[in-house]
Amino acid sequence: MFYLGSSLDNEIKSIRSSSTKDLRTKFNLKKDDLVIGFVGRLVRWKGPKFLLDAFLKIDNPKVKLVYFGTGSGQSESVEESLKKQVEKMGIQDRVIFFGFLENRALIYKLIDIFVLSSVKAEPFSTTVIEAALCKCPIIATNIGGTPEFIKHSKNGLLVTPGNVGALAKLLLRLIEDQRFARNLGKIAFQDAKAFKIDNITRNLEEIYIKLI
């Protein structure tokens, strides 16, 4: 199996601190706020509701949940229902719908904990590799191709899809143990180097040479 390569680790180095600061200010994210990030389409099978339910168990006003993406015009979109739930609960200051942001490196620059909450299997999530290349601690559902990369408690944390209590506990673990979270991010980064665009290109070249 071949995977798409990424150069996101190099791109993130070019992000100016002023750009990050401007976005945090725009969405009222304080300097000491901790951001849990969801990156993807706001559709049912991606599990944004699963993540929200787990987040609601965290009683800490400095922990924010940010959705990067949209469900507008897509089948099984849950974007509007999520927004209505957040508004009804009066937690708009803690749950932010960022919408689409083209600069993916900037997205991961803003995230402190990355969560892949899909409740339906997908072959292999490129967002997991992107998060790893940006040294984000990762929590992901234990389905599809994700466990091919994420090894529980080694370079990330795995959770059963739909288990709200378990996801909440893992989030709290990373929030309360920053040293452990940073270590997961560092190891994930080392493991993700194999997916850097230069390495992927070199491997393909070697295969083509052998075929010739």
Side-chain angles (χ1 to χ4, degrees), residues 18-31:
S18 59
S19 299
T20 306
K21 185 178 179 180
D22 288 346
L23 275 180
R24 292 184 73 94
T25 299
K26 179 181 178 180
F27 289 92
N28 198 30
L29 290 170
K30 303 296 190 297
K31 185 177 180 180

Side-chain angles (χ1 to χ4, degrees), residues 33-53:
D33 282 344
L34 186 147
V35 176
I36 296 170
F38 172 100
V39 182
R41 294 179 292 143
L42 296 179
V43 294
R44 192 176 308 281
W45 72 271
K46 284 286 190 178
K49 178 66 164 60
F50 168 39
L51 175 55
L52 177 60
D53 290 343

Side-chain angles (χ1 to χ4, degrees), residues 55-190:
F55 172 78
L56 293 176
K57 293 182 176 293
I58 299 172
D59 186 20
N60 185 337
K62 291 188 177 298
V63 178
K64 307 295 176 69
L65 172 59
V66 181
Y67 289 103
F68 294 93
T70 180
S72 179
Q74 300 179 57
S75 175
E76 295 192 348
S77 172
V78 294
E79 182 173 358
E80 290 307 312
S81 63
L82 289 173
K83 288 180 176 178
K84 287 179 181 178
Q85 181 180 355
V86 168
E87 184 177 357
K88 184 177 181 180
M89 298 183 72
I91 54 173
Q92 297 95 320
D93 61 327
R94 293 192 63 207
V95 181
I96 299 165
F97 295 89
F98 217 102
F100 178 75
L101 183 61
E102 187 173 354
N103 190 332
R104 296 181 74 82
L106 184 53
I107 289 175
Y108 294 102
K109 190 74 172 178
L110 292 167
I111 292 175
D112 296 298
I113 298 173
F114 170 81
V115 180
L116 177 73
S117 55
S118 301
V119 294
K120 178 182 176 182
E122 49 187 308
F124 194 80
S125 175
T126 55
T127 57
V128 168
I129 298 301
E130 290 175 344
L133 285 173
C134 297
K135 299 183 181 179
C136 288
I138 298 167
I139 301 176
T141 43
N142 190 16
I143 54 174
T146 303
E148 292 180 28
F149 178 74
I150 296 295
K151 306 304 176 185
H152 188 68
S153 290
K154 293 182 179 179
N155 64 356
L157 297 173
L158 292 171
V159 64
T160 302
N163 191 330
V164 173
L167 177 54
K169 287 181 180 178
L170 293 181
L171 286 169
L172 282 170
R173 184 180 181 188
L174 294 185
I175 292 167
E176 295 171 355
D177 192 344
Q178 291 291 298
R179 183 177 180 181
F180 175 64
R182 286 193 298 271
N183 191 54
L184 286 182
K186 289 177 182 177
I187 296 174
F189 173 73
Q190 294 299 325

